[in-house]
PDB file of all heavy atoms in Angstrom:
ATOM      1  N   ASP S   2      30.856  45.083 -47.816  1.00 75.00           N
ATOM      2  CA  ASP S   2      32.227  45.238 -47.470  1.00 75.00           C
ATOM      3  C   ASP S   2      33.191  44.799 -48.583  1.00 75.00           C
ATOM      4  O   ASP S   2      32.779  44.194 -49.651  1.00 75.00           O
ATOM      5  CB  ASP S   2      32.438  44.462 -46.234  1.00 75.00           C
ATOM      6  CG  ASP S   2      32.178  43.008 -46.315  1.00 75.00           C
ATOM      7  OD1 ASP S   2      32.697  42.359 -47.235  1.00 75.00           O
ATOM      8  OD2 ASP S   2      31.258  42.512 -45.520  1.00 75.00           O
ATOM      9  N   ASP S   3      34.390  44.999 -48.450  1.00 78.00           N
ATOM     10  CA  ASP S   3      35.333  44.734 -49.472  1.00 78.00           C
ATOM     11  C   ASP S   3      35.531  43.227 -49.844  1.00 78.00           C
ATOM     12  O   ASP S   3      35.693  42.877 -51.039  1.00 78.00           O
ATOM     13  CB  ASP S   3      36.716  45.240 -49.160  1.00 78.00           C
ATOM     14  CG  ASP S   3      36.834  46.709 -49.181  1.00 78.00           C
ATOM     15  OD1 ASP S   3      35.974  47.391 -49.595  1.00 78.00           O
ATOM     16  OD2 ASP S   3      37.823  47.288 -48.431  1.00 78.00           O
ATOM     17  N   ASP S   4      35.401  42.418 -48.748  1.00 81.00           N
ATOM     18  CA  ASP S   4      35.613  40.944 -48.916  1.00 81.00           C
ATOM     19  C   ASP S   4      34.435  40.425 -49.753  1.00 81.00           C
ATOM     20  O   ASP S   4      34.516  39.493 -50.642  1.00 81.00           O
ATOM     21  CB  ASP S   4      35.610  40.205 -47.555  1.00 81.00           C
ATOM     22  CG  ASP S   4      37.005  40.456 -46.973  1.00 81.00           C
ATOM     23  OD1 ASP S   4      37.985  40.797 -47.655  1.00 81.00           O
ATOM     24  OD2 ASP S   4      37.035  40.215 -45.638  1.00 81.00           O
ATOM     25  N   GLU S   5      33.266  40.844 -49.277  1.00 82.00           N
ATOM     26  CA  GLU S   5      31.909  40.435 -50.078  1.00 82.00           C
ATOM     27  C   GLU S   5      32.059  40.954 -51.581  1.00 82.00           C
ATOM     28  O   GLU S   5      31.712  40.170 -52.442  1.00 82.00           O
ATOM     29  CB  GLU S   5      30.793  40.891 -49.397  1.00 82.00           C
ATOM     30  CG  GLU S   5      29.363  40.425 -49.976  1.00 82.00           C
ATOM     31  CD  GLU S   5      28.170  41.123 -49.414  1.00 82.00           C
ATOM     32  OE1 GLU S   5      28.405  41.968 -48.563  1.00 82.00           O
ATOM     33  OE2 GLU S   5      27.105  40.551 -49.692  1.00 82.00           O
ATOM     34  N   ARG S   6      32.464  42.101 -51.772  1.00 81.00           N
ATOM     35  CA  ARG S   6      32.543  42.731 -53.066  1.00 81.00           C
ATOM     36  C   ARG S   6      33.478  41.964 -53.911  1.00 81.00           C
ATOM     37  O   ARG S   6      33.216  41.771 -55.124  1.00 81.00           O
ATOM     38  CB  ARG S   6      32.853  44.271 -52.938  1.00 81.00           C
ATOM     39  CG  ARG S   6      32.845  44.877 -54.199  1.00 81.00           C
ATOM     40  CD  ARG S   6      33.080  46.405 -54.183  1.00 81.00           C
ATOM     41  NE  ARG S   6      33.111  47.089 -55.450  1.00 81.00           N
ATOM     42  CZ  ARG S   6      32.051  47.514 -56.096  1.00 81.00           C
ATOM     43  NH1 ARG S   6      30.743  47.412 -55.451  1.00 81.00           N
ATOM     44  NH2 ARG S   6      31.983  48.187 -57.150  1.00 81.00           N
ATOM     45  N   ALA S   7      34.552  41.575 -53.329  1.00 84.00           N
ATOM     46  CA  ALA S   7      35.572  40.849 -54.120  1.00 84.00           C
ATOM     47  C   ALA S   7      34.969  39.431 -54.546  1.00 84.00           C
ATOM     48  O   ALA S   7      35.178  39.055 -55.541  1.00 84.00           O
ATOM     49  CB  ALA S   7      36.929  40.632 -53.276  1.00 84.00           C
ATOM     50  N   ARG S   8      34.265  38.868 -53.549  1.00 85.00           N
ATOM     51  CA  ARG S   8      33.740  37.479 -53.950  1.00 85.00           C
ATOM     52  C   ARG S   8      32.613  37.621 -55.012  1.00 85.00           C
ATOM     53  O   ARG S   8      32.442  36.880 -55.932  1.00 85.00           O
ATOM     54  CB  ARG S   8      33.071  36.994 -52.695  1.00 85.00           C
ATOM     55  CG  ARG S   8      32.372  35.524 -52.872  1.00 85.00           C
ATOM     56  CD  ARG S   8      32.199  34.953 -51.479  1.00 85.00           C
ATOM     57  NE  ARG S   8      31.230  35.709 -50.719  1.00 85.00           N
ATOM     58  CZ  ARG S   8      29.825  35.752 -50.908  1.00 85.00           C
ATOM     59  NH1 ARG S   8      29.310  34.893 -51.740  1.00 85.00           N
ATOM     60  NH2 ARG S   8      29.045  36.515 -50.104  1.00 85.00           N
ATOM     61  N   MET S   9      31.716  38.671 -54.948  1.00 84.00           N
ATOM     62  CA  MET S   9      30.674  38.911 -55.864  1.00 84.00           C
ATOM     63  C   MET S   9      31.379  39.385 -57.156  1.00 84.00           C
ATOM     64  O   MET S   9      30.746  39.001 -58.230  1.00 84.00           O
ATOM     65  CB  MET S   9      29.810  40.078 -55.394  1.00 84.00           C
ATOM     66  CG  MET S   9      28.852  39.758 -54.143  1.00 84.00           C
ATOM     67  SD  MET S   9      27.700  38.491 -54.536  1.00 84.00           S
ATOM     68  CE  MET S   9      28.537  37.043 -53.874  1.00 84.00           C
ATOM     69  N   ARG S  10      32.586  40.007 -57.136  1.00 86.00           N
ATOM     70  CA  ARG S  10      33.180  40.431 -58.372  1.00 86.00           C
ATOM     71  C   ARG S  10      33.727  39.133 -59.245  1.00 86.00           C
ATOM     72  O   ARG S  10      33.517  39.044 -60.417  1.00 86.00           O
ATOM     73  CB  ARG S  10      34.261  41.322 -58.247  1.00 86.00           C
ATOM     74  CG  ARG S  10      34.966  41.795 -59.455  1.00 86.00           C
ATOM     75  CD  ARG S  10      36.054  42.898 -59.200  1.00 86.00           C
ATOM     76  NE  ARG S  10      36.621  43.391 -60.349  1.00 86.00           N
ATOM     77  CZ  ARG S  10      36.160  44.270 -61.265  1.00 86.00           C
ATOM     78  NH1 ARG S  10      34.889  44.718 -60.863  1.00 86.00           N
ATOM     79  NH2 ARG S  10      36.769  44.513 -62.280  1.00 86.00           N
ATOM     80  N   ARG S  11      34.127  38.211 -58.534  1.00 87.00           N
ATOM     81  CA  ARG S  11      34.472  36.971 -59.093  1.00 87.00           C
ATOM     82  C   ARG S  11      33.429  36.188 -59.699  1.00 87.00           C
ATOM     83  O   ARG S  11      33.567  35.682 -60.768  1.00 87.00           O
ATOM     84  CB  ARG S  11      35.396  36.039 -57.980  1.00 87.00           C
ATOM     85  CG  ARG S  11      36.637  36.622 -57.493  1.00 87.00           C
ATOM     86  CD  ARG S  11      37.448  35.518 -56.754  1.00 87.00           C
ATOM     87  NE  ARG S  11      36.686  35.131 -55.495  1.00 87.00           N
ATOM     88  CZ  ARG S  11      37.025  35.806 -54.421  1.00 87.00           C
ATOM     89  NH1 ARG S  11      37.828  36.778 -54.367  1.00 87.00           N
ATOM     90  NH2 ARG S  11      36.389  35.369 -53.356  1.00 87.00           N
ATOM     91  N   GLU S  12      32.328  36.011 -59.006  1.00 87.00           N
ATOM     92  CA  GLU S  12      31.091  35.542 -59.517  1.00 87.00           C
ATOM     93  C   GLU S  12      30.666  36.119 -60.762  1.00 87.00           C
ATOM     94  O   GLU S  12      30.363  35.538 -61.791  1.00 87.00           O
ATOM     95  CB  GLU S  12      30.058  35.468 -58.477  1.00 87.00           C
ATOM     96  CG  GLU S  12      28.679  34.921 -58.875  1.00 87.00           C
ATOM     97  CD  GLU S  12      27.613  35.070 -57.999  1.00 87.00           C
ATOM     98  OE1 GLU S  12      27.929  35.031 -56.693  1.00 87.00           O
ATOM     99  OE2 GLU S  12      26.416  35.157 -58.312  1.00 87.00           O
ATOM    100  N   TRP S  13      30.668  37.558 -60.743  1.00 85.00           N
ATOM    101  CA  TRP S  13      30.132  38.258 -62.025  1.00 85.00           C
ATOM    102  C   TRP S  13      31.096  38.086 -63.083  1.00 85.00           C
ATOM    103  O   TRP S  13      30.791  37.882 -64.310  1.00 85.00           O
ATOM    104  CB  TRP S  13      30.215  39.792 -61.482  1.00 85.00           C
ATOM    105  CG  TRP S  13      30.038  40.738 -62.711  1.00 85.00           C
ATOM    106  CD1 TRP S  13      28.934  40.976 -63.501  1.00 85.00           C
ATOM    107  CD2 TRP S  13      30.890  41.486 -63.298  1.00 85.00           C
ATOM    108  NE1 TRP S  13      29.162  41.690 -64.552  1.00 85.00           N
ATOM    109  CE2 TRP S  13      30.351  42.238 -64.354  1.00 85.00           C
ATOM    110  CE3 TRP S  13      32.291  41.831 -62.937  1.00 85.00           C
ATOM    111  CZ2 TRP S  13      31.119  43.035 -65.199  1.00 85.00           C
ATOM    112  CZ3 TRP S  13      32.973  42.696 -63.673  1.00 85.00           C
ATOM    113  CH2 TRP S  13      32.459  43.295 -64.811  1.00 85.00           C
ATOM    114  N   ALA S  14      32.468  38.229 -62.787  1.00 86.00           N
ATOM    115  CA  ALA S  14      33.432  37.932 -63.940  1.00 86.00           C
ATOM    116  C   ALA S  14      33.326  36.683 -64.586  1.00 86.00           C
ATOM    117  O   ALA S  14      33.533  36.559 -65.787  1.00 86.00           O
ATOM    118  CB  ALA S  14      34.861  38.293 -63.329  1.00 86.00           C
ATOM    119  N   ALA S  15      33.152  35.515 -63.856  1.00 86.00           N
ATOM    120  CA  ALA S  15      32.904  34.299 -64.419  1.00 86.00           C
ATOM    121  C   ALA S  15      31.766  34.329 -65.330  1.00 86.00           C
ATOM    122  O   ALA S  15      31.882  33.633 -66.435  1.00 86.00           O
ATOM    123  CB  ALA S  15      32.811  33.247 -63.424  1.00 86.00           C
ATOM    124  N   LEU S  16      30.697  34.886 -64.973  1.00 83.00           N
ATOM    125  CA  LEU S  16      29.435  34.813 -65.851  1.00 83.00           C
ATOM    126  C   LEU S  16      29.725  35.678 -67.020  1.00 83.00           C
ATOM    127  O   LEU S  16      29.179  35.357 -68.057  1.00 83.00           O
ATOM    128  CB  LEU S  16      28.197  35.371 -64.913  1.00 83.00           C
ATOM    129  CG  LEU S  16      27.698  34.351 -63.965  1.00 83.00           C
ATOM    130  CD1 LEU S  16      26.649  35.016 -63.019  1.00 83.00           C
ATOM    131  CD2 LEU S  16      26.963  33.199 -64.723  1.00 83.00           C
ATOM    132  N   LEU S  17      30.480  36.762 -66.899  1.00 82.00           N
ATOM    133  CA  LEU S  17      30.643  37.686 -67.970  1.00 82.00           C
ATOM    134  C   LEU S  17      31.518  36.968 -68.888  1.00 82.00           C
ATOM    135  O   LEU S  17      31.238  37.153 -70.235  1.00 82.00           O
ATOM    136  CB  LEU S  17      31.383  39.019 -67.513  1.00 82.00           C
ATOM    137  CG  LEU S  17      31.656  40.044 -68.585  1.00 82.00           C
ATOM    138  CD1 LEU S  17      30.439  40.569 -69.180  1.00 82.00           C
ATOM    139  CD2 LEU S  17      32.415  41.100 -67.948  1.00 82.00           C
ATOM    140  N   VAL S  18      32.417  36.195 -68.598  1.00 84.00           N
ATOM    141  CA  VAL S  18      33.285  35.438 -69.646  1.00 84.00           C
ATOM    142  C   VAL S  18      32.440  34.425 -70.277  1.00 84.00           C
ATOM    143  O   VAL S  18      32.481  34.281 -71.605  1.00 84.00           O
ATOM    144  CB  VAL S  18      34.402  34.499 -68.783  1.00 84.00           C
ATOM    145  CG1 VAL S  18      35.018  33.563 -69.786  1.00 84.00           C
ATOM    146  CG2 VAL S  18      35.331  35.499 -68.224  1.00 84.00           C
ATOM    147  N   GLU S  19      31.432  33.846 -69.719  1.00 82.00           N
ATOM    148  CA  GLU S  19      30.552  32.974 -70.440  1.00 82.00           C
ATOM    149  C   GLU S  19      29.664  33.642 -71.416  1.00 82.00           C
ATOM    150  O   GLU S  19      29.462  33.247 -72.461  1.00 82.00           O
ATOM    151  CB  GLU S  19      29.564  32.128 -69.366  1.00 82.00           C
ATOM    152  CG  GLU S  19      30.341  31.121 -68.499  1.00 82.00           C
ATOM    153  CD  GLU S  19      31.023  30.166 -69.422  1.00 82.00           C
ATOM    154  OE1 GLU S  19      30.345  29.547 -70.223  1.00 82.00           O
ATOM    155  OE2 GLU S  19      32.271  29.781 -69.181  1.00 82.00           O
ATOM    156  N   VAL S  20      29.085  34.800 -70.971  1.00 81.00           N
ATOM    157  CA  VAL S  20      28.311  35.624 -71.850  1.00 81.00           C
ATOM    158  C   VAL S  20      29.155  35.988 -73.202  1.00 81.00           C
ATOM    159  O   VAL S  20      28.604  35.910 -74.265  1.00 81.00           O
ATOM    160  CB  VAL S  20      27.791  36.879 -71.153  1.00 81.00           C
ATOM    161  CG1 VAL S  20      27.235  37.794 -72.204  1.00 81.00           C
ATOM    162  CG2 VAL S  20      26.782  36.470 -70.119  1.00 81.00           C
ATOM    163  N   ARG S  21      30.281  36.569 -73.002  1.00 79.00           N
ATOM    164  CA  ARG S  21      31.137  36.913 -74.086  1.00 79.00           C
ATOM    165  C   ARG S  21      31.458  35.711 -75.085  1.00 79.00           C
ATOM    166  O   ARG S  21      31.421  35.843 -76.308  1.00 79.00           O
ATOM    167  CB  ARG S  21      32.467  37.621 -73.611  1.00 79.00           C
ATOM    168  CG  ARG S  21      32.282  38.957 -72.985  1.00 79.00           C
ATOM    169  CD  ARG S  21      33.571  39.494 -72.421  1.00 79.00           C
ATOM    170  NE  ARG S  21      33.362  40.756 -72.065  1.00 79.00           N
ATOM    171  CZ  ARG S  21      34.241  41.515 -71.297  1.00 79.00           C
ATOM    172  NH1 ARG S  21      35.476  40.866 -70.947  1.00 79.00           N
ATOM    173  NH2 ARG S  21      34.191  42.702 -70.970  1.00 79.00           N
ATOM    174  N   LYS S  22      31.772  34.657 -74.413  1.00 77.00           N
ATOM    175  CA  LYS S  22      31.974  33.349 -75.166  1.00 77.00           C
ATOM    176  C   LYS S  22      30.859  32.887 -76.143  1.00 77.00           C
ATOM    177  O   LYS S  22      31.075  32.608 -77.293  1.00 77.00           O
ATOM    178  CB  LYS S  22      32.450  32.242 -74.237  1.00 77.00           C
ATOM    179  CG  LYS S  22      32.905  30.938 -74.970  1.00 77.00           C
ATOM    180  CD  LYS S  22      33.547  29.915 -73.912  1.00 77.00           C
ATOM    181  CE  LYS S  22      32.448  29.435 -72.960  1.00 77.00           C
ATOM    182  NZ  LYS S  22      33.054  28.439 -72.069  1.00 77.00           N
ATOM    183  N   HIS S  23      29.684  32.953 -75.434  1.00 74.00           N
ATOM    184  CA  HIS S  23      28.653  32.400 -76.241  1.00 74.00           C
ATOM    185  C   HIS S  23      28.157  33.575 -77.233  1.00 74.00           C
ATOM    186  O   HIS S  23      27.580  33.207 -78.233  1.00 74.00           O
ATOM    187  CB  HIS S  23      27.350  32.062 -75.347  1.00 74.00           C
ATOM    188  CG  HIS S  23      27.721  30.851 -74.557  1.00 74.00           C
ATOM    189  ND1 HIS S  23      28.471  30.774 -73.435  1.00 74.00           N
ATOM    190  CD2 HIS S  23      27.198  29.529 -74.833  1.00 74.00           C
ATOM    191  CE1 HIS S  23      28.548  29.495 -72.928  1.00 74.00           C
ATOM    192  NE2 HIS S  23      27.864  28.717 -73.769  1.00 74.00           N
ATOM    193  N   ALA S  24      28.300  34.833 -76.930  1.00 69.00           N
ATOM    194  CA  ALA S  24      27.941  35.786 -77.848  1.00 69.00           C
ATOM    195  C   ALA S  24      28.859  35.825 -79.166  1.00 69.00           C
ATOM    196  O   ALA S  24      28.511  36.071 -80.239  1.00 69.00           O
ATOM    197  CB  ALA S  24      28.055  37.196 -77.107  1.00 69.00           C
ATOM    198  N   ASN S  25      30.116  35.384 -78.820  1.00 62.00           N
ATOM    199  CA  ASN S  25      31.107  35.257 -79.942  1.00 62.00           C
ATOM    200  C   ASN S  25      30.729  34.019 -80.773  1.00 62.00           C
ATOM    201  O   ASN S  25      30.923  34.084 -82.017  1.00 62.00           O
ATOM    202  CB  ASN S  25      32.593  35.155 -79.527  1.00 62.00           C
ATOM    203  CG  ASN S  25      33.111  36.335 -78.815  1.00 62.00           C
ATOM    204  OD1 ASN S  25      32.713  37.466 -79.150  1.00 62.00           O
ATOM    205  ND2 ASN S  25      34.050  36.225 -77.933  1.00 62.00           N
ATOM    206  N   VAL S  26      30.248  33.034 -80.257  1.00 56.00           N
ATOM    207  CA  VAL S  26      29.852  31.934 -81.060  1.00 56.00           C
ATOM    208  C   VAL S  26      28.900  32.205 -81.887  1.00 56.00           C
ATOM    209  O   VAL S  26      28.689  31.737 -83.003  1.00 56.00           O
ATOM    210  CB  VAL S  26      29.547  30.783 -80.147  1.00 56.00           C
ATOM    211  CG1 VAL S  26      28.891  29.574 -80.948  1.00 56.00           C
ATOM    212  CG2 VAL S  26      30.797  30.116 -79.402  1.00 56.00           C
ATOM    213  N   SER S  27      27.767  32.958 -81.421  1.00 52.00           N
ATOM    214  CA  SER S  27      26.505  33.155 -82.207  1.00 52.00           C
ATOM    215  C   SER S  27      26.464  34.459 -82.845  1.00 52.00           C
ATOM    216  O   SER S  27      25.541  34.843 -83.518  1.00 52.00           O
ATOM    217  CB  SER S  27      25.256  33.237 -81.194  1.00 52.00           C
ATOM    218  OG  SER S  27      25.589  34.150 -80.123  1.00 52.00           O
ATOM    219  N   GLY S  28      27.651  35.208 -82.819  1.00 49.00           N
ATOM    220  CA  GLY S  28      27.636  36.515 -83.617  1.00 49.00           C
ATOM    221  C   GLY S  28      26.858  37.571 -82.958  1.00 49.00           C
ATOM    222  O   GLY S  28      27.037  37.672 -81.818  1.00 49.00           O
ATOM    223  N   ASP S  29      25.848  38.256 -83.680  1.00 46.00           N
ATOM    224  CA  ASP S  29      25.283  39.304 -82.927  1.00 46.00           C
ATOM    225  C   ASP S  29      23.936  38.763 -82.426  1.00 46.00           C
ATOM    226  O   ASP S  29      23.070  39.550 -82.090  1.00 46.00           O
ATOM    227  CB  ASP S  29      24.884  40.510 -83.990  1.00 46.00           C
ATOM    228  CG  ASP S  29      24.074  39.983 -85.127  1.00 46.00           C
ATOM    229  OD1 ASP S  29      23.814  38.677 -85.132  1.00 46.00           O
ATOM    230  OD2 ASP S  29      23.821  40.839 -86.045  1.00 46.00           O
ATOM    231  N   MET S  30      23.849  37.422 -82.329  1.00 46.00           N
ATOM    232  CA  MET S  30      22.622  36.867 -81.845  1.00 46.00           C
ATOM    233  C   MET S  30      21.469  36.855 -82.884  1.00 46.00           C
ATOM    234  O   MET S  30      20.840  35.776 -83.243  1.00 46.00           O
ATOM    235  CB  MET S  30      22.182  37.415 -80.387  1.00 46.00           C
ATOM    236  CG  MET S  30      23.267  37.065 -79.351  1.00 46.00           C
ATOM    237  SD  MET S  30      23.629  35.260 -79.254  1.00 46.00           S
ATOM    238  CE  MET S  30      22.050  34.717 -78.712  1.00 46.00           C
ATOM    239  N   GLY S  31      20.884  38.121 -83.139  1.00 48.00           N
ATOM    240  CA  GLY S  31      19.983  38.160 -84.307  1.00 48.00           C
ATOM    241  C   GLY S  31      18.761  37.303 -83.829  1.00 48.00           C
ATOM    242  O   GLY S  31      18.431  37.117 -82.597  1.00 48.00           O
ATOM    243  N   ASP S  32      18.058  36.802 -84.867  1.00 48.00           N
ATOM    244  CA  ASP S  32      16.945  35.949 -84.753  1.00 48.00           C
ATOM    245  C   ASP S  32      17.515  34.560 -85.251  1.00 48.00           C
ATOM    246  O   ASP S  32      17.463  34.280 -86.394  1.00 48.00           O
ATOM    247  CB  ASP S  32      15.724  36.367 -85.516  1.00 48.00           C
ATOM    248  CG  ASP S  32      15.309  37.665 -85.258  1.00 48.00           C
ATOM    249  OD1 ASP S  32      15.282  37.882 -83.948  1.00 48.00           O
ATOM    250  OD2 ASP S  32      14.622  38.459 -85.940  1.00 48.00           O
ATOM    251  N   LEU S  33      17.801  33.809 -84.263  1.00 49.00           N
ATOM    252  CA  LEU S  33      18.280  32.470 -84.466  1.00 49.00           C
ATOM    253  C   LEU S  33      17.162  31.551 -84.944  1.00 49.00           C
ATOM    254  O   LEU S  33      16.076  31.700 -84.564  1.00 49.00           O
ATOM    255  CB  LEU S  33      19.053  31.822 -83.367  1.00 49.00           C
ATOM    256  CG  LEU S  33      20.382  32.673 -82.974  1.00 49.00           C
ATOM    257  CD1 LEU S  33      20.995  31.840 -81.691  1.00 49.00           C
ATOM    258  CD2 LEU S  33      21.285  32.868 -84.023  1.00 49.00           C
ATOM    259  N   VAL S  34      17.425  30.520 -85.917  1.00 54.00           N
ATOM    260  CA  VAL S  34      16.399  29.687 -86.255  1.00 54.00           C
ATOM    261  C   VAL S  34      16.772  28.279 -86.011  1.00 54.00           C
ATOM    262  O   VAL S  34      18.071  27.959 -85.876  1.00 54.00           O
ATOM    263  CB  VAL S  34      16.080  29.840 -87.742  1.00 54.00           C
ATOM    264  CG1 VAL S  34      15.400  31.124 -87.972  1.00 54.00           C
ATOM    265  CG2 VAL S  34      17.389  29.677 -88.587  1.00 54.00           C
ATOM    266  N   ASN S  35      15.825  27.323 -85.865  1.00 60.00           N
ATOM    267  CA  ASN S  35      15.997  25.980 -85.545  1.00 60.00           C
ATOM    268  C   ASN S  35      16.789  25.317 -86.873  1.00 60.00           C
ATOM    269  O   ASN S  35      16.369  25.498 -87.903  1.00 60.00           O
ATOM    270  CB  ASN S  35      14.800  25.260 -85.259  1.00 60.00           C
ATOM    271  CG  ASN S  35      14.839  23.881 -84.759  1.00 60.00           C
ATOM    272  OD1 ASN S  35      15.202  22.971 -85.573  1.00 60.00           O
ATOM    273  ND2 ASN S  35      14.997  23.601 -83.507  1.00 60.00           N
ATOM    274  N   ARG S  36      17.663  24.463 -86.409  1.00 67.00           N
ATOM    275  CA  ARG S  36      18.490  23.808 -87.599  1.00 67.00           C
ATOM    276  C   ARG S  36      17.384  22.959 -88.375  1.00 67.00           C
ATOM    277  O   ARG S  36      17.588  22.912 -89.636  1.00 67.00           O
ATOM    278  CB  ARG S  36      19.561  22.898 -86.980  1.00 67.00           C
ATOM    279  CG  ARG S  36      20.265  22.020 -88.058  1.00 67.00           C
ATOM    280  CD  ARG S  36      21.460  21.351 -87.389  1.00 67.00           C
ATOM    281  NE  ARG S  36      21.982  20.435 -88.325  1.00 67.00           N
ATOM    282  CZ  ARG S  36      23.140  19.715 -88.098  1.00 67.00           C
ATOM    283  NH1 ARG S  36      23.678  19.535 -86.824  1.00 67.00           N
ATOM    284  NH2 ARG S  36      23.670  18.831 -89.031  1.00 67.00           N
ATOM    285  N   ARG S  37      16.573  22.217 -87.847  1.00 70.00           N
ATOM    286  CA  ARG S  37      15.674  21.472 -88.526  1.00 70.00           C
ATOM    287  C   ARG S  37      14.823  22.208 -89.491  1.00 70.00           C
ATOM    288  O   ARG S  37      14.535  21.865 -90.624  1.00 70.00           O
ATOM    289  CB  ARG S  37      14.745  20.576 -87.570  1.00 70.00           C
ATOM    290  CG  ARG S  37      15.467  19.663 -86.826  1.00 70.00           C
ATOM    291  CD  ARG S  37      14.436  18.894 -85.805  1.00 70.00           C
ATOM    292  NE  ARG S  37      15.195  17.855 -84.995  1.00 70.00           N
ATOM    293  CZ  ARG S  37      14.599  17.108 -84.177  1.00 70.00           C
ATOM    294  NH1 ARG S  37      13.224  17.179 -83.968  1.00 70.00           N
ATOM    295  NH2 ARG S  37      15.211  16.114 -83.488  1.00 70.00           N
TER     296      ARG S  37
END
């Protein structure tokens, strides 16, 4: 229903923001290596 869809959309949007934020930090992700 619309209410459930709106709630699920808020949850999805919050996770999408986190994905974009961390993707921007790491560039294209590629093959990351350990700092050590």
Side-chain angles (χ1 to χ4, degrees):
D2 54 58
D3 292 342
D4 289 341
E5 183 185 9
R6 185 177 180 83
R8 181 168 60 84
M9 291 296 98
R10 183 175 182 81
R11 289 193 295 271
E12 177 184 332
W13 167 73
L16 286 168
L17 184 61
V18 168
E19 291 299 314
V20 170
R21 287 175 174 172
K22 180 171 66 177
H23 288 81
N25 288 337
V26 169
S27 59
D29 62 359
M30 294 306 296
D32 294 326
L33 300 182
V34 294
N35 185 280
R36 176 178 175 177
R37 292 182 180 178

